[in-house]
Amino acid sequence: TNLRILDNEITDNEGVGILIDSTVTTPDSAIAIKFNTITGNDADNDGYGIQNADIVATVDATFNWWGTTVADDIAAMVNDTTTDGSVTTYEPFLADTVDAVFSASDIAVGATSIAKDTADVAVSVAGTGVTVDTITVAKYIANPQEAIAGAIAFYDVYVAGVTDTDPMATIKFYAGDALTDVYLWSAATLTWGDPLDATFSAYGGYVWVVVDPAMLGGTPFALVGGAAAGLDTPPEILAPDTGADDVSLTPIFAWEPVTDAEGYCFELADNVNFVAPMVRLDGELGRLFVTAYAYVGELEYSTAYYWRVKATSGAFNPWIQWTQVEHFDVESDWASSVFITMDEPEEELPPVVIEETE
């Protein structure tokens, strides 16, 4: 028997909040009681929030709010009445109610939880004939564990009742970018481990990892870092001045450097839509590593030209999944400008020679 008691308020009952009876389980039973508020129960007796009266049942009662963060007080609310093998685990516990600790959460029955809109997470468990009882995901309002520098988001992922012998869970976090690292909290060492092998999908807009579902017993994740703040702003154009109408036919284009940029993409065109640009410096080998470009050749007189530049960082991806979009890991917006070249100088007429006649 697999029993799931998730996301409830079990409060102020005259008797025990949750009683695991000795007659309803079998030796391989797995009982999960998680993400609940369990307070004020059995007040006139022993004050038990959970009483495990089964001789073999293993009860996972982690990640509940007990109305206190004092471990000894919580231990007093959990009772195992037998010593034959029943185990009730209640640590780690929540530091407040689910609503106060998590900014968003989602519970799904089955092998997939698409919680992109509710918790910025999607989880799927794959395997041969795999079945899953429950997937719970949540996004923390604040750091639930030890501080970690540069963190941008925290999540909790819980997967229960996986039957396949060799399943793998894919977790998509809809936050961060190609420079974001994903860390997993270790309940054994009570520390954040080394960064996981994470991949960024520029097309999907998420960072994803693949892990063993056995690791997901209510496991905090931290997403750390990402695009540098400097790349949020496009380069500032220095020359030619936007709107200038007397620009040399061999102009030098210049812009201010962008913090944390590793290179710059540049385009010059004779049309505002940059269709078939005259110059395109892009890609891993084509982008510029300086903040200026000297046009080789001569432009036409009295002609409007359009140019733009953007800052880039990270690796170049010539194919984004099944599309034909070329993209660096991190890019700023384009900074665009327009100018008009100088007028063609008037041809000087030869001097008039007046010859005297006799």
Side-chain angles (χ1 to χ4, degrees):
T1 300
N2 291 328
L3 176 65
R4 306 282 175 259
I5 301 175
L6 308 171
D7 196 23
N8 298 282
E9 292 188 9
I10 304 167
T11 62
D12 300 325
N13 291 287
E14 291 185 3
V16 174
I18 301 173
L19 173 64
I20 311 301
D21 192 88
S22 61
T23 63
V24 297
T25 60
T26 59
D28 59 351
S29 293
I31 299 173
I33 304 171
K34 303 171 75 72
F35 307 109
N36 302 287
T37 293
I38 308 174
T39 61
N41 299 289
D42 198 29
D44 294 334
N45 299 295
D46 297 309
Y48 293 145
I50 297 176
Q51 183 173 10
N52 184 3
D54 192 271
I55 62 173
V56 292
T58 297
V59 178
D60 179 359
T62 58
F63 295 100
N64 292 294
W65 167 237
W66 300 85
T68 178
T69 57
V70 178
D72 288 345
D73 292 346
I74 296 173
M77 288 184 260
V78 179
N79 174 252
D80 280 317
T81 59
T82 71
T83 58
D84 294 333
S86 63
V87 176
T88 303
T89 303
Y90 59 87
E91 293 184 285
F93 44 80
L94 297 182
D96 207 329
T97 64
V98 168
D99 290 340
V101 172
F102 303 120
S103 59
S105 61
D106 183 80
I107 298 175
V109 176
T112 303
S113 171
I114 305 299
K116 177 181 177 182
D117 295 332
T118 55
D120 294 335
V121 183
V123 180
S124 60
V125 181
T128 304
V130 66
T131 62
V132 180
D133 283 350
T134 308
I135 296 176
T136 302
V137 297
K139 184 176 181 179
Y140 287 107
I141 293 174
N143 190 349
Q145 300 289 354
E146 172 184 282
I148 183 168
I152 59 174
F154 301 95
Y155 300 91
D156 195 294
V157 179
Y158 169 69
V159 176
V162 181
T163 59
D164 190 80
T165 56
D166 192 24
M168 295 303 292
T170 299
I171 308 172
K172 300 176 181 178
F173 300 102
Y174 288 86
D177 54 42
L179 303 182
T180 298
D181 289 322
V182 178
Y183 291 83
L184 179 67
W185 178 259
S186 171
T189 63
L190 299 181
T191 58
W192 294 104
D194 294 331
L196 300 177
D197 185 11
T199 304
F200 175 64
S201 170
Y203 182 81
Y206 54 78
V207 178
W208 60 281
V209 295
V210 178
V211 299
D212 185 343
M215 302 167 62
L216 303 177
T219 304
F221 288 84
L223 272 62
V224 175
L231 268 67
D232 291 340
T233 304
E236 179 182 348
I237 289 175
L238 297 178
D241 290 335
T242 298
D245 58 3
D246 191 25
V247 175
S248 166
L249 303 186
T250 56
I252 296 177
F253 302 90
W255 54 91
E256 289 281 5
V258 173
T259 302
D260 295 322
E262 296 178 356
Y264 301 90
C265 296
F266 174 91
E267 291 185 357
L268 172 66
D270 57 7
N271 63 89
V272 70
N273 294 318
F274 291 88
V275 176
M278 302 159 52
V279 177
R280 184 186 184 201
L281 303 175
D282 200 349
E284 192 66 43
L285 300 178
R287 65 175 168 170
L288 296 167
F289 296 96
V290 294
T291 58
Y293 170 72
Y295 181 70
V296 178
E298 287 192 354
L299 301 176
E300 299 289 334
Y301 287 110
S302 305
T303 303
Y305 290 95
Y306 304 84
W307 69 284
R308 59 186 183 179
V309 61
K310 65 181 176 181
T312 67
S313 183
F316 180 64
N317 306 296
W319 302 95
I320 300 299
Q321 293 194 3
W322 58 86
T323 70
Q324 298 184 21
V325 179
E326 297 181 335
H327 204 285
F328 281 92
D329 286 341
V330 183
E331 298 182 348
S332 74
D333 293 332
W334 288 104
S336 301
S337 184
V338 59
F339 63 89
I340 300 174
T341 51
M342 60 188 294
D343 294 333
E344 184 175 3
E346 294 183 4
E347 184 178 353
E348 294 185 7
L349 297 176
V352 177
V353 178
I354 300 176
E355 296 181 357
E356 295 183 1
T357 58
E358 294 182 0

